[in-house]
Amino acid sequence: MKDTVKNIAVLGATGSIGSQTLDIIASHPERYRAVVLTAGSRADKLIEAAIAHRPRRVVIGRTELLPRVEAALAPLGIECRAGDEALAECVEADDIDTVLTATVGYSGLQPTVRAIRAGKDIALANKETLVVAGEMINRMLAESPSKIYPVDSEHSAIAQCLAGEDPACVKRLLITASGGPFRTWPADRMAEATAADALKHPNWNMGRKITIDSATMMNKAFEIIEAHYLFGVESGRIEAVVHPQSIVHSMVEFVDGAVKAQLGLPDMHLPIAYALGCHARLDGAAGHMSLADFATLTFEKPDVKRFPCLGLAHTALERRGNTACVINAANEIAVAAFLEGRIKFGQIYGVIERTLEAVPYIAEPVFDDYVASNAEARVKAAEMIK
Ligand code: NDP
Ligand code: MG
């Protein structure tokens, strides 16, 4: 009899999305099995997850941590690997059905490319993959049996709104944004905000990098780019709408004036489960929401003056080429510098803008161009910060 349990490779298993994915897998052994787990540097957390899930293989990014991982897991018959090539290669094994990509930033690109080449389905949390190389990824998908199922709550909401609809009848995508911790702060106070201020997200408990991206609204810019490549809607028809309660996860407006929305508690288990199930619903994935507890749902226009990073979505989609790749790389360097106290919150945008001016434009990048643009942008951004 055919094995009906789906084998999942969880990339970034020690993180926020990775551990919520493992919750779902643990609660549904009749549907899912974790066969590969990867992590960057948190060896102890990886070991703990591997002892609980007994995957066939684990991979840790930092090679110096391999002996520690091996000492704990090799006696259990778990194969242990380390380094960048192992992180990318581990998605290709024949027994893997779906690769869930929940690493941070540019690191998601290479394993996703390898997974598409190997014909795997992708549950995509790592939005930076589509930001960096959306055009190339879509070309690859056109020639592969692989499909991408978005984990990002907004894109999951849009996919849910589009189910059963004619794509030709879509007028606009409305991507909701909480507005982050600085939604009501004046610009001068925001400019001086500390990492501790920026890490206090009002509604979501996420990894540090995406939490800072939410505070600058760069996350929303990335999500507009992500939506463009996932749903084939041009940037002029994708709008961000600030919705501080994070109950409406996004909306689609149709040509007849209808607007469909997906609502739910701010809980990533639901979109993760919807992606793992290739858009099938999982009973009890997230908690019950009583609308009466959220009697007031409000919506406002985003303030691009105070959140200039938001405007970079349209810059990226108008200029295309390697523009978004450069923006992403500069943002990663700027966010890391901000978290380490080396630049102020108000300087993040300037680093990105100046890096964009400094790195040569490539109109039709292929894989190696993305690699080179990413590397060059990181160097330029780091020089500016110095
Ligand atoms: P976390 O920081 O919580 O976790 C990131 C994971 O990736 C960890 O397992 C980390 O390993 C691993 N990792 C980080 N860098 C590398 C690297 N260079 N190579 C290999 N592994 C690496 O992040 P989140 O879970 O919050 O976010 C993951 C992705 O999902 C991001 O792209 C984010 O934008 C997206 N996303 C997240 C949401 C959320 O609610 N958290 C919502 C929507 C999208 P270790 O910790 O062991 O070093
Ligand atoms: Mg999101």
Side-chain angles (χ1 to χ4, degrees):
M1 209 175 78
K2 191 178 174 324
D3 185 359
T4 53
V5 179
K6 234 191 223 186
N7 287 336
I8 315 288
V10 184
L11 311 188
T14 51
S16 158
I17 294 291
S19 26
Q20 294 179 79
T21 302
L22 291 177
D23 292 344
I24 295 168
I25 294 175
S27 311
H28 294 278
E30 77 293 355
R31 283 178 191 245
Y32 303 117
R33 178 191 299 127
V35 291
V36 173
L37 301 182
T38 80
S41 57
R42 280 181 279 181
D44 291 339
K45 217 169 168 200
L46 177 65
I47 291 167
E48 195 186 310
I51 289 172
H53 286 268
R54 302 299 171 104
R56 177 173 50 67
R57 182 190 283 191
V58 298
V59 185
I60 184 115
R62 299 239 315 256
T63 48
E64 70 275 20
L65 297 171
L66 182 61
R68 192 149 115 221
V69 173
E70 257 174 343
L73 300 180
L76 303 178
I78 298 171
E79 197 186 331
C80 305
R81 297 279 171 86
D84 286 343
E85 172 54 24
L87 284 171
E89 185 264 340
C90 69
V91 302
E92 293 173 341
D94 286 343
D95 64 343
I96 296 170
D97 298 303
T98 295
V99 176
L100 178 122
T101 68
T103 66
V104 181
Y106 180 83
S107 71
L109 179 63
Q110 177 72 284
T112 308
V113 164
R114 300 276 283 259
I116 295 172
R117 283 198 191 125
K120 309 300 182 189
D121 280 336
I122 316 283
L124 183 108
N126 180 268
K127 66 193 84 185
E128 294 92 335
T129 296
L130 288 179
V131 171
V132 169
E135 228 145 307
M136 182 191 75
I137 295 287
N138 276 350
R139 280 199 305 272
M140 292 182 67
L141 287 170
E143 291 168 6
S144 159
S146 300
K147 285 201 165 54
I148 289 190
Y149 297 92
V151 167
D152 217 346
S153 56
E154 294 77 2
H155 305 75
S156 177
I158 291 169
Q160 293 175 60
C161 294
L162 289 175
E165 298 287 352
D166 177 354
C169 293
V170 171
K171 190 166 178 195
R172 282 187 313 160
L173 306 182
L174 303 167
I175 302 193
T176 50
S178 70
F182 305 142
R183 182 176 62 90
T184 58
W185 286 35
D188 52 348
R189 188 172 167 215
M190 264 171 76
E192 301 295 324
T194 64
D197 295 326
L199 286 169
K200 273 187 218 131
H201 196 281
N203 304 340
W204 298 96
N205 185 10
M206 311 179 283
R208 285 159 68 86
K209 193 261 184 184
I210 185 176
T211 305
I212 303 304
D213 288 347
S214 300
T216 58
M217 290 194 81
M218 181 52 101
N219 183 51
K220 220 37 64 177
F222 286 167
E223 291 183 352
I224 290 173
I225 300 170
E226 182 185 10
H228 167 74
Y229 289 115
L230 284 172
F231 304 112
V233 174
E234 67 268 28
S235 75
R237 295 194 291 128
I238 310 177
E239 254 176 56
V241 181
V242 175
H243 165 53
Q245 297 80 17
S246 296
I247 293 295
V248 175
H249 296 302
S250 277
M251 296 171 267
V252 178
E253 183 185 339
F254 294 91
V255 286
D256 59 356
V259 177
K260 271 168 95 175
Q262 186 255 326
L263 283 71
L265 294 174
D267 179 347
M268 288 306 296
H269 289 94
L270 190 154
I272 296 169
Y274 195 65
L276 283 183
C278 301
H279 294 174
R281 297 207 178 272
L282 182 66
D283 196 352
H288 166 74
M289 185 187 71
S290 158
L291 262 181
D293 294 340
F294 299 94
T296 312
L297 299 180
T298 60
F299 301 91
E300 37 189 92
K301 279 201 155 94
D303 180 350
V304 189
K305 277 213 181 93
R306 276 189 307 127
F307 296 97
C309 287
L310 183 59
L312 289 169
H314 298 291
T315 308
L317 290 174
E318 277 155 25
R319 291 195 209 166
R320 306 185 85 84
N322 63 341
T323 307
C325 172
V326 172
I327 291 173
N328 176 70
N331 181 61
E332 284 187 39
I333 297 296
V335 168
F338 169 68
L339 283 170
E340 289 162 12
R342 291 185 284 119
I343 60 170
K344 295 188 173 189
F345 187 81
Q347 292 176 306
I348 295 176
Y349 174 74
V351 171
I352 300 166
E353 198 185 28
R354 278 179 288 129
T355 305
L356 203 48
E357 285 161 14
V359 176
Y361 176 70
I362 302 173
E364 288 179 13
V366 294
F367 185 76
D368 290 346
D369 298 317
Y370 291 117
V371 174
S373 296
N374 171 65
E376 188 172 352
R378 281 167 189 273
V379 171
K380 292 272 193 274
E383 280 169 9
M384 274 162 210
I385 288 167
K386 256 194 219 151

